[in-house]
Amino acid sequence: MTASKIVLSSLTHIRPITCAASYNTRLVPHPPDLVKWVKREGGFVHQAVKISPQQNEANGLGLVASQDIPKGSLLIALPDHIPLRFESDSGDGADSVLANLARQVPEELWAMKLGLKLLQERAKVGSFWWPYISNLPETYSVPIFFQGEDIKNLQYAPLLYQVNKRCRFLLDFEKEVGHALVSLKPNDHPFEGQDVGASSLGWAMSAVSSRAFRLHGKKLSDGTRNKIPMMLPLIDMCNHSFNPNAQILQEEDAKNTELLIKVVAETEIKENDSLLLNYGCLSNDLFLLDYGFVIPSNPYDTIELKYDEALMDAASMAAGVSSPNFSSPAAWQQQILSQLNLIGEAPIVKVSLGGPEFIDGRLLAAIRVLLASDLETVQKHDLDTLKSISAEAPLGIANEVAAFRTIIALCVIALEHFPTKIMEDESLLKQGVSASTDLAIRFRIHKKSMIIDVMRNLSRRVKLLLSKETAATEA
């Protein structure tokens, strides 16, 4: 599925919800001033907060400081009626149709539920949120809008699976929406009589996934508040950083129990600095799928592997630490693997390399145990110790060196699944490619670089362990 090349107009009698294909253009050529709209509706915007005139393909428009802003300053405040949210548990007519459609959306694709509400407001003439919606991009740089060749260019099977899964969902959901709309009365039609295709559904889902925040919604009958996704006009123009200079807070208005959503300066913000929020400690897979960008040297990036006896056996052989226990674990080793939920009934065989811990704890524990020949030594440690990379050689230096070498071999096998090398990828970038091709290539470069970083880290640990072993022997 790719974006349809239909040019949007700004006709007053209809607000079309088809999706065009140019990056970083707004839905209308000259949208309303979003800052003025927020202020007019009772919100607050710090006088130094400006919408940057600069656009880039990764993040589009952003917010910048036009002068120094002290730490703790209130940057933006939105009263409760400005965020765009979707309460899908009530409503008649068009809202009931929307609620029924939302119930067909799987929870993992939650963005589509709010996306239906966004499409409804986009189609509605005179929508309260039109000044906000008109400032949204015409399309997004997420992989569901990539051409087929650029999806292949990602070269990473777990991400390819997710992209294809989302595309299939959108094509299937297009049919469900069509069936729901076909015989509706005009007053009951949630999209002002317009057809809704996979392209416009994809636009809405991408708009929400890249901009919505999960915050506390309305107070429930028991006095608690559930967290729901909502789109925050102007606030969602803050770009991402793992070291943000701003944070989102919610405060309840004592007079009417409504929530005020605020953005406050977490540090001093210098003139011309971007306003930055932390979107989450996410892998590049999720940043690309939901936000349309990737982060170099992302400390939370990982690569997925499937725990498989044949793969473990191949890695141990490649590492020169072959052991029959990888393909035929002893009964006591099988018991521990079962406790790690790697074998047995309904096992979770997905493991990972990378991220803050470098190695999935369950994978590390499994390899340590499979390389151990002494049950008594293993029984001296609990599972948490065996899973921890900070637990220094719990089963002995020889076991630890063999475990790390096996994992390094797993990294080598993972790299071999990529059909190109980093140098080839970098050469392609220098030749000049389309925006989506560039993004796909950078994604796979960062994946390979992350794997190499894991290998280097483990190689340093092996070297240190061997030097300790030599020193102990000489002593």
Side-chain angles (χ1 to χ4, degrees):
M1 188 199 76
T2 55
S4 153
K5 295 185 178 179
I6 300 175
V7 178
L8 288 165
S9 68
S10 57
L11 300 175
T12 56
H13 66 281
I14 189 170
R15 293 252 163 83
I17 52 179
T18 50
C19 182
S22 55
Y23 290 117
N24 289 321
T25 53
R26 307 292 102 182
L27 286 184
V28 297
H30 303 287
D33 187 313
L34 196 54
V35 172
K36 288 183 179 178
W37 177 72
V38 168
K39 290 180 176 179
R40 188 170 66 245
E41 290 299 326
F44 169 83
V45 183
H46 193 285
Q47 62 178 6
V49 171
K50 306 295 180 187
I51 297 176
S52 170
Q54 302 296 321
Q55 295 191 119
N56 60 73
E57 288 172 358
N59 300 313
L61 294 174
L63 300 181
V64 296
S66 61
Q67 63 188 56
D68 291 354
I69 302 176
K71 176 182 178 180
S73 299
L74 178 61
L75 303 173
I76 303 170
L78 301 181
D80 197 58
H81 66 282
I82 289 184
L84 176 61
R85 54 172 74 88
F86 181 33
E87 309 287 354
S88 60
D89 56 349
S90 62
D92 300 316
D95 287 342
S96 176
V97 174
L98 222 58
N100 288 333
L101 286 171
R103 280 191 277 271
Q104 299 177 47
V105 177
E107 187 55 38
E108 65 181 296
L109 298 177
W110 58 268
M112 188 71 265
K113 297 182 181 183
L114 180 52
L116 291 168
K117 176 66 174 178
L118 175 62
L119 278 180
Q120 181 187 42
E121 295 299 331
R122 177 176 169 178
K124 185 189 299 182
V125 175
S127 166
F128 168 77
W129 286 282
W130 179 246
Y132 165 63
I133 295 171
S134 64
N135 275 278
L136 294 176
E138 267 187 308
T139 193
Y140 292 87
S141 55
V142 292
I144 60 168
F145 289 112
F146 283 10
Q147 298 295 328
E149 193 60 33
D150 283 332
I151 293 178
K152 291 180 184 176
N153 280 334
L154 295 166
Q155 295 184 352
Y156 180 57
L159 183 60
L160 294 176
Y161 171 80
Q162 291 297 330
V163 174
N164 290 328
K165 183 178 179 181
R166 292 189 181 198
C167 289
R168 284 195 304 272
F169 163 76
L170 289 168
L171 293 170
D172 291 341
F173 196 51
E174 175 186 43
K175 296 174 185 176
E176 297 296 331
V177 173
H179 292 153
L181 301 181
V182 67
S183 58
L184 289 178
K185 299 175 183 178
N187 288 343
D188 291 338
H189 199 293
F191 308 112
E192 303 292 313
Q194 297 185 62
D195 292 330
V196 175
S199 182
S200 52
L201 290 168
W203 173 86
M205 186 170 74
S206 301
V208 173
S209 71
S210 64
R211 305 178 83 90
F213 296 83
R214 282 186 178 270
L215 300 174
H216 292 293
K218 294 179 180 178
K219 187 172 284 190
L220 303 176
S221 56
D222 62 1
T224 63
R225 296 181 186 271
N226 59 341
K227 283 199 170 187
I228 61 171
M230 55 183 79
M231 301 185 78
L232 307 179
L234 197 63
I235 290 176
D236 61 15
M237 285 187 173
C238 294
N239 286 325
H240 165 78
S241 173
F242 291 129
N243 298 298
N245 55 21
Q247 63 174 327
I248 294 180
L249 302 173
Q250 280 185 284
E251 288 185 4
E252 187 171 290
D253 185 335
K255 296 179 181 178
N256 54 21
T257 71
E258 290 187 343
L259 289 171
L260 192 66
I261 300 170
K262 298 181 175 182
V263 176
V264 176
E266 213 171 11
T267 65
E268 181 185 7
I269 302 175
K270 296 291 187 181
E271 183 179 355
N272 297 324
D273 281 357
S274 296
L275 271 59
L276 303 170
L277 296 169
N278 187 346
Y279 295 176
C281 299
L282 308 174
S283 70
N284 274 345
D285 304 47
L286 291 175
F287 276 124
L288 184 55
L289 276 170
D290 288 339
Y291 297 94
F293 61 83
V294 292
I295 297 177
S297 303
N298 180 351
Y300 303 99
D301 201 19
T302 60
I303 188 164
E304 290 182 14
L305 300 173
K306 179 182 177 183
Y307 181 84
D308 176 82
E309 290 177 354
L311 175 62
M312 296 299 117
D313 203 27
S316 66
M317 289 179 65
V321 292
S322 181
S323 167
N325 294 329
F326 281 96
S327 52
S328 301
W332 65 270
Q333 291 171 325
Q334 291 184 38
Q335 185 178 2
I336 296 175
L337 292 176
S338 180
Q339 291 172 359
L340 293 168
N341 204 19
L342 291 170
I343 63 172
E345 293 185 17
I348 299 174
V349 295
K350 185 176 78 174
V351 292
S352 61
L353 296 174
E357 297 299 320
F358 291 104
I359 307 169
D360 187 301
R362 295 189 306 134
L363 175 63
L364 178 58
I367 294 175
R368 280 170 167 168
V369 169
L370 289 171
L371 286 168
S373 56
D374 183 359
L375 170 60
E376 189 176 334
T377 303
V378 174
Q379 287 179 327
K380 291 178 181 177
H381 307 282
D382 58 26
L383 279 184
D384 287 341
T385 300
L386 295 174
K387 288 160 62 176
S388 174
I389 195 170
S390 59
E392 190 173 321
L395 304 184
I397 289 179
N399 175 281
E400 197 80 339
V401 168
F404 287 165
R405 283 177 171 165
T406 302
I407 296 168
I408 291 170
L410 281 175
C411 291
V412 173
I413 293 171
L415 281 175
E416 289 174 348
H417 278 83
F418 289 93
T420 60
K421 297 187 176 358
I422 290 179
M423 287 181 65
E424 296 174 76
D425 296 336
E426 291 173 340
S427 178
L428 287 171
L429 291 179
K430 290 175 183 176
Q431 294 174 20
V433 293
S434 69
S436 56
T437 302
D438 182 278
L439 193 51
I441 293 173
R442 291 186 188 280
F443 170 83
R444 72 195 196 209
I445 285 176
H446 298 326
K447 275 295 181 211
K448 296 169 198 174
S449 297
M450 183 273 297
I451 298 171
I452 292 169
D453 286 343
V454 172
M455 293 170 67
R456 286 173 176 161
N457 180 282
L458 293 177
S459 295
R460 285 194 297 269
R461 290 172 184 263
V462 167
K463 187 176 180 180
L464 182 61
L465 287 167
L466 291 175
S467 65
K468 287 183 177 180
E469 185 177 46
T470 300
T473 303
E474 292 174 350

